[in-house]
């Protein structure tokens, strides 16, 4: 309802983050006719960590090793394949440490299995040592003018 109200008062809608309900956005766009320059299809890739990793690999970009995890049994198999350390993340919705579990040992696996979240669809990612993480934002207008925004460094504490 809030998105419909916003769309009715706007010439166009854009989004910055991937945690936008693409089905709702598509329905609101169809119902109100509001322009969504980025489209909705992009969210199919960016809102799902498995889709995102597969998209990157398909386009020749490296990713950490990963495995889909939809059950405790699948977690056990994935941990055997990827090893420690790893991070289990929700496939969608989690952000900045929310919906993430560090997997550094068999004890971590055991603890998680004892409190397995209901209906969890997740991705286990091999942990990557890195020096820094940056964000790069690029935009393009309707005249195909591209703008690169200042590169920023992301600083994390406890995820």
């Amino acid at each position: 309802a809030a998105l419909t109200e916003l769309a009715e008062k706007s010439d166009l809608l854009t989004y910055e983050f991937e945690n936008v309900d693409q089905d709702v956005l598509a329905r609101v766009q169809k119902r109100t006719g509001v322009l969504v320059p980025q489209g909705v299809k992009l969210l199919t890739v960016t809102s799902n960590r498995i889709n995102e990793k597969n998209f990157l690999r398909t386009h020749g970009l490296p990713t950490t090793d990963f495995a889909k995890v939809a059950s405790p049994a699948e977690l056990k198999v994935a941990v055997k394949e990827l090893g420690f350390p790893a991070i289990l993340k929700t496939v969608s919705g989690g952000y900045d440490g929310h919906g993430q579990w560090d997997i550094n040992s068999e004890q971590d696996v055991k603890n998680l299995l004892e409190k397995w979240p209901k209906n969890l669809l997740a991705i286990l990612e091999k942990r990557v040592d890195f020096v820094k993480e940056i964000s790069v934002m690029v935009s393009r207008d309707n005249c195909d003018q591209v703008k690169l925004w200042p590169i920023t460094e992301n600083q994390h504490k406890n995820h």
Side-chain angles (χ1 to χ4, degrees):
L3 187 57
T4 299
E5 182 180 346
L6 177 63
E8 288 171 344
K9 295 178 180 180
S10 303
D11 294 324
L12 62 91
L13 295 178
T14 64
Y15 50 87
E16 179 181 0
F17 298 103
E18 69 277 2
N19 292 339
V20 176
D21 187 317
Q22 61 202 37
D23 295 329
V24 170
L25 183 57
R27 283 195 308 270
V28 167
Q29 181 183 23
K30 186 175 182 180
R31 184 180 313 138
T32 66
V34 70
L35 177 64
V36 181
Q38 294 154 283
V40 178
K41 185 177 179 185
L42 177 64
L43 290 170
T44 304
V45 173
T46 61
S47 67
N48 180 299
R49 288 184 174 92
I50 295 169
N51 292 348
E52 189 173 49
K53 292 255 186 313
N54 286 326
F55 176 87
L56 292 170
R57 284 186 171 180
T58 299
H59 289 85
L61 297 167
T63 72
T64 189
D65 292 335
F66 67 94
K68 177 183 168 189
V69 174
S71 69
E74 288 182 5
L75 176 63
K76 291 177 186 178
V77 170
V79 166
K80 283 183 182 175
E81 289 176 3
L82 300 180
F84 301 114
I87 303 174
L88 185 70
K89 300 177 180 180
T90 56
V91 167
S92 62
Y95 195 76
D96 285 347
H98 301 283
Q100 297 183 4
W101 299 267
D102 286 319
I103 308 287
N104 298 307
S105 67
E106 288 295 338
Q107 186 61 49
D108 289 339
V109 174
K110 182 181 176 191
N111 293 343
L112 183 56
L113 293 176
E114 289 173 359
K115 298 181 253 176
W116 188 257
K118 187 177 181 179
N119 299 321
L120 177 65
L121 179 56
I123 181 172
L124 186 69
E125 297 178 348
K126 181 80 175 160
R127 180 159 316 169
V128 175
D129 289 327
F130 59 91
V131 175
K132 68 175 73 175
E133 177 186 76
I134 62 170
S135 289
V136 178
M137 300 259 312
V138 180
S139 64
R140 182 177 61 211
D141 65 19
N142 288 340
C143 298
D144 282 337
Q145 297 296 310
V146 176
K147 177 169 174 120
L148 175 65
W149 299 90
I151 295 172
T152 58
E153 181 179 351
N154 303 319
Q155 296 185 3
H156 300 275
K157 291 183 182 178
N158 301 323
H159 283 278

